């Protein structure tokens, strides 16, 4: 079976618009040319539009996690005190990356399905003399489908400390409102394969002036992910090393589409599809929704007791050619996650819900 017959309802990669696929198949350009430089510069400018920032914006050739690691390596020095406000698997990833670099973060663990509580954050900041170098958040935690109130959380950080605000917006960007500059986010991170409607392989970071001061002073080791070399190459419309040229060309087309639609309209469209999906999943299928503060990127729902989620999703993929995401870590086999960001359409979501409904009735639910 050709993979083109699959309906992808996964929170990354998400389906590619036909015009992006066509761009990915074009003859390759050399990366040290004026022609490529112009496309790269346009991608950076369009990313600033999507991030809602005037801050220096960098592109990296890696998946989203690489951008998370780059933030750790570029902002911190040995012995720095940091805080991770974790709402799921991706918050925990931020902590793991820091530990790999010898940093021992303090972590607030929210119960999975709950959003980050500003009051818990405020209390911890006020009870920590000396404060933190940086506080790390997820815009949306894809493992639970929760959206965090970054506007309020960033404000709490600013009012109670000097810490940098670092936000993983890898799944949230171009799906949920994010105002990098207006909300005082120092570093916003994202990847290409979710709301940005491109294949996996590119990541981006918007880095505020305050964060650049930390970058220049930071002592952790870095080479490939050194933001200083990336920034130095920007005036020449280049990257320090060979970028994923084809993905950049594809990204330019996806960003052109986002600009044409308007980022506010992208948020509204995603919001409407999320609302529709939650209604269908809770109403038509009768499943209990997972997140208390559900994001627009995906809908997570509990499977009824006794249903083997691993088996159900495997069969759905093999027989219906529909890919719905499983739960992660402790939620594997227990919840399903239906994505509705990027180029995913209402028809895709409806096909997924119908197939899920048929499979649930087959097992007697
Ligand atoms: C997808 C995702 C990542 C990064 O995953 P990669 O597989 O490295 O692209 C990080 N954080 C969140 C919230 C994500 O959704």
């Amino acid at each position: 079976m050709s993979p083109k017959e699959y309906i992808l309802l996964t929170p990354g990669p998400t389906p590619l618009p036909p015009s992006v696929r066509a761009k990915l198949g074009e003859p390759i350009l050399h990366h040290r040319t004026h022609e490529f430089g112009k496309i790269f510069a346009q991608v950076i400018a369009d990313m600033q539009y999507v991030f809602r920032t005037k801050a220096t914006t960098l592109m990296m050739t890696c998946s989203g996690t690489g951008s998370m690691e780059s933030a750790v390596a570029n902002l911190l020095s040995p012995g720095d005190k940091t805080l991770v406000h974790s709402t799921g698997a991706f918050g925990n990833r931020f902590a793991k990356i820091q530990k790999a670099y010898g940093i021992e973060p303090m972590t607030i663990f929210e119960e999975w399905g709950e959003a980050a509580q500003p009051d818990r954050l405020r209390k911890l900041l006020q009870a920590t003399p000396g404060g933190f170098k940086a506080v790390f958040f997820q815009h949306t935690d894809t493992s639970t489908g929760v959206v965090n109130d970054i506007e309020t959380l960033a404000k709490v950080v600013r009012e109670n400390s000097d810490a940098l605000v670092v936000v993983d917006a890898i799944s949230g960007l171009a799906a949920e409102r994010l105002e990098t500059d207006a909300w005082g986010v120092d570093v916003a991170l994202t990847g290409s394969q979710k709301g940005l409607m491109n294949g996996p392989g590119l990541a981006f970071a918007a880095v505020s002036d305050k964060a650049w001061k930390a970058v220049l002073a930071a002592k952790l080791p870095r080479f490939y992910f050194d933001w200083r070399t990336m920034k130095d190459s920007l005036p020449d419309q280049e990257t320090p090393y060979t970028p994923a040229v084809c993905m950049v060309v594809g990204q330019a087309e996806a960003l052109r589409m986002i600009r044409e639609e308007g980022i506010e309209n992208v948020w509204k469209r995603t919001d409407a599809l999320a609302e529709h999906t939650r209604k269908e999943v809770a109403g038509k299928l009768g499943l209990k929704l997972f997140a208390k503060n559900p994001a627009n990127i995906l809908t997570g729902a509990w499977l009824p007791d006794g249903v083997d989620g691993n088996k159900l999703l495997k069969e759905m993929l093999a027989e219906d050619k529909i890919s719905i995401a499983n739960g992660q870590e402790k939620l594997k086999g227990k919840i399903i996650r239906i994505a509705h960001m990027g180029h995913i359409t209402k028809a895709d979501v409806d096909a997924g819900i119908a197939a899920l409904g048929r499979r649930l009735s087959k097992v007697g639910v």
Side-chain angles (χ1 to χ4, degrees), residues 17-51:
S19 64
V20 172
R21 285 190 353 224
K23 283 285 175 189
L24 292 176
E26 283 189 355
I28 194 162
L29 295 168
H30 192 274
H31 56 291
R32 309 276 181 222
T33 56
H34 180 63
E35 194 180 356
F36 180 75
K38 265 188 0 203
I39 297 170
F40 170 57
Q42 188 63 51
V43 164
I44 294 292
D46 288 350
M47 284 307 301
Q48 288 175 310
Y49 165 78
V50 175
F51 273 128

PDB file of all heavy atoms in Angstrom, residues 17-51:
ATOM      1  N   PRO A  17       0.437  20.069   2.786  1.00  0.00           N
ATOM      2  CA  PRO A  17      -0.363  20.602   1.678  1.00  0.00           C
ATOM      3  C   PRO A  17       0.290  20.191   0.351  1.00  0.00           C
ATOM      4  O   PRO A  17       1.513  20.102   0.273  1.00  0.00           O
ATOM      5  CB  PRO A  17      -0.268  22.117   1.869  1.00  0.00           C
ATOM      6  CG  PRO A  17       0.143  22.317   3.298  1.00  0.00           C
ATOM      7  CD  PRO A  17       0.957  21.119   3.667  1.00  0.00           C
ATOM      8  N   PRO A  18      -0.530  19.938  -0.701  1.00  0.00           N
ATOM      9  CA  PRO A  18       0.027  19.517  -1.996  1.00  0.00           C
ATOM     10  C   PRO A  18       1.114  20.464  -2.521  1.00  0.00           C
ATOM     11  O   PRO A  18       2.116  20.004  -3.067  1.00  0.00           O
ATOM     12  CB  PRO A  18      -1.191  19.516  -2.922  1.00  0.00           C
ATOM     13  CG  PRO A  18      -2.355  19.299  -2.008  1.00  0.00           C
ATOM     14  CD  PRO A  18      -1.999  19.938  -0.700  1.00  0.00           C
ATOM     15  N   SER A  19       0.945  21.769  -2.327  1.00  0.00           N
ATOM     16  CA  SER A  19       1.944  22.695  -2.878  1.00  0.00           C
ATOM     17  C   SER A  19       3.267  22.584  -2.125  1.00  0.00           C
ATOM     18  O   SER A  19       4.338  22.807  -2.691  1.00  0.00           O
ATOM     19  CB  SER A  19       1.420  24.136  -2.850  1.00  0.00           C
ATOM     20  OG  SER A  19       1.213  24.561  -1.520  1.00  0.00           O
ATOM     21  N   VAL A  20       3.214  22.221  -0.847  1.00  0.00           N
ATOM     22  CA  VAL A  20       4.456  22.008  -0.085  1.00  0.00           C
ATOM     23  C   VAL A  20       5.145  20.739  -0.592  1.00  0.00           C
ATOM     24  O   VAL A  20       6.357  20.715  -0.806  1.00  0.00           O
ATOM     25  CB  VAL A  20       4.166  21.915   1.432  1.00  0.00           C
ATOM     26  CG1 VAL A  20       5.415  21.504   2.206  1.00  0.00           C
ATOM     27  CG2 VAL A  20       3.623  23.246   1.952  1.00  0.00           C
ATOM     28  N   ARG A  21       4.347  19.692  -0.821  1.00  0.00           N
ATOM     29  CA  ARG A  21       4.940  18.447  -1.358  1.00  0.00           C
ATOM     30  C   ARG A  21       5.605  18.697  -2.690  1.00  0.00           C
ATOM     31  O   ARG A  21       6.684  18.174  -2.967  1.00  0.00           O
ATOM     32  CB  ARG A  21       3.854  17.388  -1.501  1.00  0.00           C
ATOM     33  CG  ARG A  21       3.487  16.842  -0.160  1.00  0.00           C
ATOM     34  CD  ARG A  21       2.585  15.614  -0.145  1.00  0.00           C
ATOM     35  NE  ARG A  21       2.047  15.168  -1.395  1.00  0.00           N
ATOM     36  CZ  ARG A  21       0.779  14.800  -1.561  1.00  0.00           C
ATOM     37  NH1 ARG A  21      -0.066  14.872  -0.549  1.00  0.00           N
ATOM     38  NH2 ARG A  21       0.360  14.355  -2.712  1.00  0.00           N
ATOM     39  N   ALA A  22       4.974  19.521  -3.523  1.00  0.00           N
ATOM     40  CA  ALA A  22       5.563  19.820  -4.837  1.00  0.00           C
ATOM     41  C   ALA A  22       6.896  20.545  -4.666  1.00  0.00           C
ATOM     42  O   ALA A  22       7.875  20.247  -5.348  1.00  0.00           O
ATOM     43  CB  ALA A  22       4.591  20.666  -5.661  1.00  0.00           C
ATOM     44  N   LYS A  23       6.948  21.476  -3.727  1.00  0.00           N
ATOM     45  CA  LYS A  23       8.191  22.224  -3.491  1.00  0.00           C
ATOM     46  C   LYS A  23       9.302  21.298  -2.992  1.00  0.00           C
ATOM     47  O   LYS A  23      10.467  21.473  -3.357  1.00  0.00           O
ATOM     48  CB  LYS A  23       7.955  23.331  -2.449  1.00  0.00           C
ATOM     49  CG  LYS A  23       7.224  24.527  -3.019  1.00  0.00           C
ATOM     50  CD  LYS A  23       8.166  25.344  -3.874  1.00  0.00           C
ATOM     51  CE  LYS A  23       7.421  26.477  -4.565  1.00  0.00           C
ATOM     52  NZ  LYS A  23       8.288  27.154  -5.559  1.00  0.00           N
ATOM     53  N   LEU A  24       8.938  20.336  -2.152  1.00  0.00           N
ATOM     54  CA  LEU A  24       9.948  19.415  -1.613  1.00  0.00           C
ATOM     55  C   LEU A  24      10.570  18.577  -2.727  1.00  0.00           C
ATOM     56  O   LEU A  24      11.686  18.087  -2.590  1.00  0.00           O
ATOM     57  CB  LEU A  24       9.325  18.490  -0.556  1.00  0.00           C
ATOM     58  CG  LEU A  24       8.876  19.153   0.745  1.00  0.00           C
ATOM     59  CD1 LEU A  24       8.185  18.141   1.652  1.00  0.00           C
ATOM     60  CD2 LEU A  24      10.050  19.773   1.476  1.00  0.00           C
ATOM     61  N   GLY A  25       9.841  18.431  -3.839  1.00  0.00           N
ATOM     62  CA  GLY A  25      10.341  17.610  -4.939  1.00  0.00           C
ATOM     63  C   GLY A  25      11.071  18.392  -6.015  1.00  0.00           C
ATOM     64  O   GLY A  25      11.467  17.819  -7.034  1.00  0.00           O
ATOM     65  N   GLU A  26      11.259  19.672  -5.805  1.00  0.00           N
ATOM     66  CA  GLU A  26      11.934  20.482  -6.845  1.00  0.00           C
ATOM     67  C   GLU A  26      13.429  20.164  -6.894  1.00  0.00           C
ATOM     68  O   GLU A  26      14.000  19.680  -5.919  1.00  0.00           O
ATOM     69  CB  GLU A  26      11.738  21.976  -6.533  1.00  0.00           C
ATOM     70  CG  GLU A  26      10.361  22.470  -6.899  1.00  0.00           C
ATOM     71  CD  GLU A  26      10.243  23.995  -6.797  1.00  0.00           C
ATOM     72  OE1 GLU A  26      11.206  24.648  -6.348  1.00  0.00           O
ATOM     73  OE2 GLU A  26       9.179  24.498  -7.176  1.00  0.00           O
ATOM     74  N   PRO A  27      14.076  20.469  -8.012  1.00  0.00           N
ATOM     75  CA  PRO A  27      15.533  20.276  -8.084  1.00  0.00           C
ATOM     76  C   PRO A  27      16.212  21.037  -6.948  1.00  0.00           C
ATOM     77  O   PRO A  27      15.809  22.160  -6.613  1.00  0.00           O
ATOM     78  CB  PRO A  27      15.913  20.885  -9.435  1.00  0.00           C
ATOM     79  CG  PRO A  27      14.657  20.884 -10.233  1.00  0.00           C
ATOM     80  CD  PRO A  27      13.529  21.031  -9.259  1.00  0.00           C
ATOM     81  N   ILE A  28      17.217  20.414  -6.359  1.00  0.00           N
ATOM     82  CA  ILE A  28      17.830  21.005  -5.168  1.00  0.00           C
ATOM     83  C   ILE A  28      18.715  22.199  -5.539  1.00  0.00           C
ATOM     84  O   ILE A  28      19.347  22.217  -6.591  1.00  0.00           O
ATOM     85  CB  ILE A  28      18.614  19.925  -4.391  1.00  0.00           C
ATOM     86  CG1 ILE A  28      18.974  20.427  -2.987  1.00  0.00           C
ATOM     87  CG2 ILE A  28      19.866  19.477  -5.154  1.00  0.00           C
ATOM     88  CD1 ILE A  28      19.344  19.305  -2.036  1.00  0.00           C
ATOM     89  N   LEU A  29      18.732  23.185  -4.630  1.00  0.00           N
ATOM     90  CA  LEU A  29      19.597  24.363  -4.802  1.00  0.00           C
ATOM     91  C   LEU A  29      20.869  24.169  -3.977  1.00  0.00           C
ATOM     92  O   LEU A  29      20.873  23.409  -3.011  1.00  0.00           O
ATOM     93  CB  LEU A  29      18.882  25.614  -4.271  1.00  0.00           C
ATOM     94  CG  LEU A  29      17.610  26.052  -4.993  1.00  0.00           C
ATOM     95  CD1 LEU A  29      16.894  27.116  -4.157  1.00  0.00           C
ATOM     96  CD2 LEU A  29      17.953  26.605  -6.378  1.00  0.00           C
ATOM     97  N   HIS A  30      21.904  24.884  -4.349  1.00  0.00           N
ATOM     98  CA  HIS A  30      23.061  24.924  -3.460  1.00  0.00           C
ATOM     99  C   HIS A  30      22.794  25.979  -2.377  1.00  0.00           C
ATOM    100  O   HIS A  30      22.170  27.004  -2.652  1.00  0.00           O
ATOM    101  CB  HIS A  30      24.349  25.252  -4.220  1.00  0.00           C
ATOM    102  CG  HIS A  30      25.567  25.024  -3.375  1.00  0.00           C
ATOM    103  ND1 HIS A  30      26.051  25.985  -2.522  1.00  0.00           N
ATOM    104  CD2 HIS A  30      26.351  23.926  -3.238  1.00  0.00           C
ATOM    105  CE1 HIS A  30      27.111  25.478  -1.878  1.00  0.00           C
ATOM    106  NE2 HIS A  30      27.314  24.233  -2.295  1.00  0.00           N
ATOM    107  N   HIS A  31      23.272  25.710  -1.171  1.00  0.00           N
ATOM    108  CA  HIS A  31      22.907  26.608  -0.067  1.00  0.00           C
ATOM    109  C   HIS A  31      23.742  27.884  -0.017  1.00  0.00           C
ATOM    110  O   HIS A  31      23.366  28.809   0.688  1.00  0.00           O
ATOM    111  CB  HIS A  31      22.979  25.863   1.267  1.00  0.00           C
ATOM    112  CG  HIS A  31      24.301  25.240   1.557  1.00  0.00           C
ATOM    113  ND1 HIS A  31      24.781  24.171   0.848  1.00  0.00           N
ATOM    114  CD2 HIS A  31      25.249  25.537   2.474  1.00  0.00           C
ATOM    115  CE1 HIS A  31      25.967  23.825   1.323  1.00  0.00           C
ATOM    116  NE2 HIS A  31      26.274  24.647   2.309  1.00  0.00           N
ATOM    117  N   ARG A  32      24.872  27.935  -0.723  1.00  0.00           N
ATOM    118  CA  ARG A  32      25.637  29.203  -0.744  1.00  0.00           C
ATOM    119  C   ARG A  32      25.365  29.922  -2.065  1.00  0.00           C
ATOM    120  O   ARG A  32      26.260  30.153  -2.855  1.00  0.00           O
ATOM    121  CB  ARG A  32      27.139  28.946  -0.607  1.00  0.00           C
ATOM    122  CG  ARG A  32      27.542  28.042   0.552  1.00  0.00           C
ATOM    123  CD  ARG A  32      27.682  28.797   1.865  1.00  0.00           C
ATOM    124  NE  ARG A  32      28.105  27.884   2.936  1.00  0.00           N
ATOM    125  CZ  ARG A  32      27.600  27.896   4.170  1.00  0.00           C
ATOM    126  NH1 ARG A  32      26.655  28.763   4.512  1.00  0.00           N
ATOM    127  NH2 ARG A  32      28.040  27.060   5.077  1.00  0.00           N
ATOM    128  N   THR A  33      24.097  30.181  -2.325  1.00  0.00           N
ATOM    129  CA  THR A  33      23.727  30.921  -3.539  1.00  0.00           C
ATOM    130  C   THR A  33      22.770  32.039  -3.162  1.00  0.00           C
ATOM    131  O   THR A  33      22.082  31.962  -2.130  1.00  0.00           O
ATOM    132  CB  THR A  33      23.004  30.015  -4.570  1.00  0.00           C
ATOM    133  OG1 THR A  33      21.855  29.429  -3.932  1.00  0.00           O
ATOM    134  CG2 THR A  33      23.919  28.925  -5.101  1.00  0.00           C
ATOM    135  N   HIS A  34      22.716  33.042  -4.013  1.00  0.00           N
ATOM    136  CA  HIS A  34      21.793  34.144  -3.791  1.00  0.00           C
ATOM    137  C   HIS A  34      20.344  33.634  -3.791  1.00  0.00           C
ATOM    138  O   HIS A  34      19.527  34.056  -2.979  1.00  0.00           O
ATOM    139  CB  HIS A  34      22.004  35.199  -4.871  1.00  0.00           C
ATOM    140  CG  HIS A  34      21.091  36.370  -4.731  1.00  0.00           C
ATOM    141  ND1 HIS A  34      21.113  37.212  -3.623  1.00  0.00           N
ATOM    142  CD2 HIS A  34      20.102  36.832  -5.534  1.00  0.00           C
ATOM    143  CE1 HIS A  34      20.186  38.139  -3.766  1.00  0.00           C
ATOM    144  NE2 HIS A  34      19.551  37.930  -4.913  1.00  0.00           N
ATOM    145  N   GLU A  35      20.064  32.709  -4.696  1.00  0.00           N
ATOM    146  CA  GLU A  35      18.696  32.196  -4.834  1.00  0.00           C
ATOM    147  C   GLU A  35      18.230  31.522  -3.530  1.00  0.00           C
ATOM    148  O   GLU A  35      17.119  31.777  -3.051  1.00  0.00           O
ATOM    149  CB  GLU A  35      18.652  31.201  -6.003  1.00  0.00           C
ATOM    150  CG  GLU A  35      17.238  30.883  -6.439  1.00  0.00           C
ATOM    151  CD  GLU A  35      17.209  29.903  -7.608  1.00  0.00           C
ATOM    152  OE1 GLU A  35      18.287  29.528  -8.126  1.00  0.00           O
ATOM    153  OE2 GLU A  35      16.096  29.495  -7.980  1.00  0.00           O
ATOM    154  N   PHE A  36      19.085  30.667  -2.970  1.00  0.00           N
ATOM    155  CA  PHE A  36      18.705  30.022  -1.717  1.00  0.00           C
ATOM    156  C   PHE A  36      18.687  31.035  -0.570  1.00  0.00           C
ATOM    157  O   PHE A  36      17.792  31.004   0.289  1.00  0.00           O
ATOM    158  CB  PHE A  36      19.653  28.863  -1.364  1.00  0.00           C
ATOM    159  CG  PHE A  36      19.261  28.202  -0.073  1.00  0.00           C
ATOM    160  CD1 PHE A  36      18.172  27.355  -0.008  1.00  0.00           C
ATOM    161  CD2 PHE A  36      19.951  28.479   1.107  1.00  0.00           C
ATOM    162  CE1 PHE A  36      17.775  26.778   1.190  1.00  0.00           C
ATOM    163  CE2 PHE A  36      19.562  27.911   2.313  1.00  0.00           C
ATOM    164  CZ  PHE A  36      18.474  27.061   2.350  1.00  0.00           C
ATOM    165  N   GLY A  37      19.660  31.925  -0.556  1.00  0.00           N
ATOM    166  CA  GLY A  37      19.729  32.937   0.502  1.00  0.00           C
ATOM    167  C   GLY A  37      18.441  33.744   0.610  1.00  0.00           C
ATOM    168  O   GLY A  37      17.965  34.046   1.714  1.00  0.00           O
ATOM    169  N   LYS A  38      17.865  34.060  -0.542  1.00  0.00           N
ATOM    170  CA  LYS A  38      16.612  34.842  -0.547  1.00  0.00           C
ATOM    171  C   LYS A  38      15.474  34.033   0.092  1.00  0.00           C
ATOM    172  O   LYS A  38      14.663  34.560   0.855  1.00  0.00           O
ATOM    173  CB  LYS A  38      16.227  35.198  -1.993  1.00  0.00           C
ATOM    174  CG  LYS A  38      16.716  36.572  -2.384  1.00  0.00           C
ATOM    175  CD  LYS A  38      16.230  37.093  -3.728  1.00  0.00           C
ATOM    176  CE  LYS A  38      15.332  36.218  -4.540  1.00  0.00           C
ATOM    177  NZ  LYS A  38      15.330  36.501  -5.987  1.00  0.00           N
ATOM    178  N   ILE A  39      15.410  32.753  -0.254  1.00  0.00           N
ATOM    179  CA  ILE A  39      14.356  31.889   0.313  1.00  0.00           C
ATOM    180  C   ILE A  39      14.550  31.754   1.829  1.00  0.00           C
ATOM    181  O   ILE A  39      13.598  31.876   2.603  1.00  0.00           O
ATOM    182  CB  ILE A  39      14.376  30.498  -0.372  1.00  0.00           C
ATOM    183  CG1 ILE A  39      14.055  30.641  -1.850  1.00  0.00           C
ATOM    184  CG2 ILE A  39      13.394  29.548   0.314  1.00  0.00           C
ATOM    185  CD1 ILE A  39      14.283  29.386  -2.673  1.00  0.00           C
ATOM    186  N   PHE A  40      15.792  31.546   2.242  1.00  0.00           N
ATOM    187  CA  PHE A  40      16.098  31.401   3.675  1.00  0.00           C
ATOM    188  C   PHE A  40      15.717  32.683   4.435  1.00  0.00           C
ATOM    189  O   PHE A  40      15.070  32.631   5.487  1.00  0.00           O
ATOM    190  CB  PHE A  40      17.593  31.073   3.841  1.00  0.00           C
ATOM    191  CG  PHE A  40      18.070  31.129   5.266  1.00  0.00           C
ATOM    192  CD1 PHE A  40      17.479  30.355   6.254  1.00  0.00           C
ATOM    193  CD2 PHE A  40      19.131  31.954   5.623  1.00  0.00           C
ATOM    194  CE1 PHE A  40      17.926  30.413   7.569  1.00  0.00           C
ATOM    195  CE2 PHE A  40      19.585  32.025   6.934  1.00  0.00           C
ATOM    196  CZ  PHE A  40      18.973  31.254   7.917  1.00  0.00           C
ATOM    197  N   ALA A  41      16.086  33.830   3.868  1.00  0.00           N
ATOM    198  CA  ALA A  41      15.776  35.106   4.542  1.00  0.00           C
ATOM    199  C   ALA A  41      14.263  35.297   4.653  1.00  0.00           C
ATOM    200  O   ALA A  41      13.760  35.810   5.662  1.00  0.00           O
ATOM    201  CB  ALA A  41      16.419  36.265   3.781  1.00  0.00           C
ATOM    202  N   GLN A  42      13.528  34.849   3.626  1.00  0.00           N
ATOM    203  CA  GLN A  42      12.063  34.967   3.666  1.00  0.00           C
ATOM    204  C   GLN A  42      11.487  34.051   4.755  1.00  0.00           C
ATOM    205  O   GLN A  42      10.557  34.445   5.474  1.00  0.00           O
ATOM    206  CB  GLN A  42      11.472  34.614   2.293  1.00  0.00           C
ATOM    207  CG  GLN A  42       9.976  34.881   2.178  1.00  0.00           C
ATOM    208  CD  GLN A  42       9.654  36.362   2.347  1.00  0.00           C
ATOM    209  OE1 GLN A  42      10.260  37.203   1.689  1.00  0.00           O
ATOM    210  NE2 GLN A  42       8.719  36.684   3.237  1.00  0.00           N
ATOM    211  N   VAL A  43      12.054  32.866   4.886  1.00  0.00           N
ATOM    212  CA  VAL A  43      11.592  31.932   5.926  1.00  0.00           C
ATOM    213  C   VAL A  43      11.804  32.559   7.309  1.00  0.00           C
ATOM    214  O   VAL A  43      10.911  32.524   8.166  1.00  0.00           O
ATOM    215  CB  VAL A  43      12.324  30.567   5.807  1.00  0.00           C
ATOM    216  CG1 VAL A  43      12.157  29.745   7.082  1.00  0.00           C
ATOM    217  CG2 VAL A  43      11.806  29.795   4.600  1.00  0.00           C
ATOM    218  N   ILE A  44      12.965  33.170   7.516  1.00  0.00           N
ATOM    219  CA  ILE A  44      13.237  33.804   8.814  1.00  0.00           C
ATOM    220  C   ILE A  44      12.243  34.944   9.067  1.00  0.00           C
ATOM    221  O   ILE A  44      11.660  35.052  10.158  1.00  0.00           O
ATOM    222  CB  ILE A  44      14.700  34.321   8.872  1.00  0.00           C
ATOM    223  CG1 ILE A  44      15.683  33.146   8.834  1.00  0.00           C
ATOM    224  CG2 ILE A  44      14.924  35.190  10.107  1.00  0.00           C
ATOM    225  CD1 ILE A  44      15.678  32.245  10.059  1.00  0.00           C
ATOM    226  N   ALA A  45      12.008  35.767   8.062  1.00  0.00           N
ATOM    227  CA  ALA A  45      11.068  36.894   8.222  1.00  0.00           C
ATOM    228  C   ALA A  45       9.658  36.367   8.508  1.00  0.00           C
ATOM    229  O   ALA A  45       8.942  36.888   9.377  1.00  0.00           O
ATOM    230  CB  ALA A  45      11.076  37.769   6.970  1.00  0.00           C
ATOM    231  N   ASP A  46       9.262  35.328   7.801  1.00  0.00           N
ATOM    232  CA  ASP A  46       7.922  34.765   8.005  1.00  0.00           C
ATOM    233  C   ASP A  46       7.808  34.091   9.375  1.00  0.00           C
ATOM    234  O   ASP A  46       6.743  34.093   9.996  1.00  0.00           O
ATOM    235  CB  ASP A  46       7.587  33.757   6.893  1.00  0.00           C
ATOM    236  CG  ASP A  46       7.316  34.452   5.559  1.00  0.00           C
ATOM    237  OD1 ASP A  46       7.194  35.700   5.543  1.00  0.00           O
ATOM    238  OD2 ASP A  46       7.239  33.754   4.532  1.00  0.00           O
ATOM    239  N   MET A  47       8.905  33.500   9.839  1.00  0.00           N
ATOM    240  CA  MET A  47       8.875  32.907  11.179  1.00  0.00           C
ATOM    241  C   MET A  47       8.718  33.989  12.247  1.00  0.00           C
ATOM    242  O   MET A  47       8.035  33.779  13.250  1.00  0.00           O
ATOM    243  CB  MET A  47      10.135  32.076  11.443  1.00  0.00           C
ATOM    244  CG  MET A  47      10.153  30.708  10.759  1.00  0.00           C
ATOM    245  SD  MET A  47       8.694  29.686  11.072  1.00  0.00           S
ATOM    246  CE  MET A  47       8.741  29.547  12.853  1.00  0.00           C
ATOM    247  N   GLN A  48       9.331  35.140  12.021  1.00  0.00           N
ATOM    248  CA  GLN A  48       9.129  36.246  12.974  1.00  0.00           C
ATOM    249  C   GLN A  48       7.655  36.658  12.992  1.00  0.00           C
ATOM    250  O   GLN A  48       7.096  36.963  14.039  1.00  0.00           O
ATOM    251  CB  GLN A  48      10.026  37.425  12.597  1.00  0.00           C
ATOM    252  CG  GLN A  48      11.504  37.135  12.894  1.00  0.00           C
ATOM    253  CD  GLN A  48      12.419  38.240  12.418  1.00  0.00           C
ATOM    254  OE1 GLN A  48      12.335  38.671  11.265  1.00  0.00           O
ATOM    255  NE2 GLN A  48      13.306  38.707  13.293  1.00  0.00           N
ATOM    256  N   TYR A  49       7.035  36.630  11.814  1.00  0.00           N
ATOM    257  CA  TYR A  49       5.599  36.935  11.726  1.00  0.00           C
ATOM    258  C   TYR A  49       4.778  35.900  12.525  1.00  0.00           C
ATOM    259  O   TYR A  49       3.871  36.266  13.282  1.00  0.00           O
ATOM    260  CB  TYR A  49       5.189  36.945  10.245  1.00  0.00           C
ATOM    261  CG  TYR A  49       3.702  36.894  10.005  1.00  0.00           C
ATOM    262  CD1 TYR A  49       2.908  38.031  10.159  1.00  0.00           C
ATOM    263  CD2 TYR A  49       3.079  35.702   9.635  1.00  0.00           C
ATOM    264  CE1 TYR A  49       1.539  37.974   9.940  1.00  0.00           C
ATOM    265  CE2 TYR A  49       1.714  35.637   9.420  1.00  0.00           C
ATOM    266  CZ  TYR A  49       0.943  36.781   9.584  1.00  0.00           C
ATOM    267  OH  TYR A  49      -0.408  36.712   9.376  1.00  0.00           O
ATOM    268  N   VAL A  50       5.125  34.628  12.380  1.00  0.00           N
ATOM    269  CA  VAL A  50       4.356  33.577  13.051  1.00  0.00           C
ATOM    270  C   VAL A  50       4.606  33.588  14.567  1.00  0.00           C
ATOM    271  O   VAL A  50       3.686  33.419  15.364  1.00  0.00           O
ATOM    272  CB  VAL A  50       4.678  32.187  12.445  1.00  0.00           C
ATOM    273  CG1 VAL A  50       3.983  31.072  13.226  1.00  0.00           C
ATOM    274  CG2 VAL A  50       4.260  32.139  10.983  1.00  0.00           C
ATOM    275  N   PHE A  51       5.868  33.836  14.959  1.00  0.00           N
ATOM    276  CA  PHE A  51       6.212  33.922  16.389  1.00  0.00           C
ATOM    277  C   PHE A  51       5.685  35.220  17.014  1.00  0.00           C
ATOM    278  O   PHE A  51       5.709  35.367  18.223  1.00  0.00           O
ATOM    279  CB  PHE A  51       7.734  33.929  16.566  1.00  0.00           C
ATOM    280  CG  PHE A  51       8.411  32.582  16.661  1.00  0.00           C
ATOM    281  CD1 PHE A  51       9.486  32.271  15.843  1.00  0.00           C
ATOM    282  CD2 PHE A  51       8.025  31.644  17.621  1.00  0.00           C
ATOM    283  CE1 PHE A  51      10.165  31.049  15.958  1.00  0.00           C
ATOM    284  CE2 PHE A  51       8.693  30.429  17.744  1.00  0.00           C
ATOM    285  CZ  PHE A  51       9.760  30.132  16.908  1.00  0.00           C
TER     286      PHE A  51
END
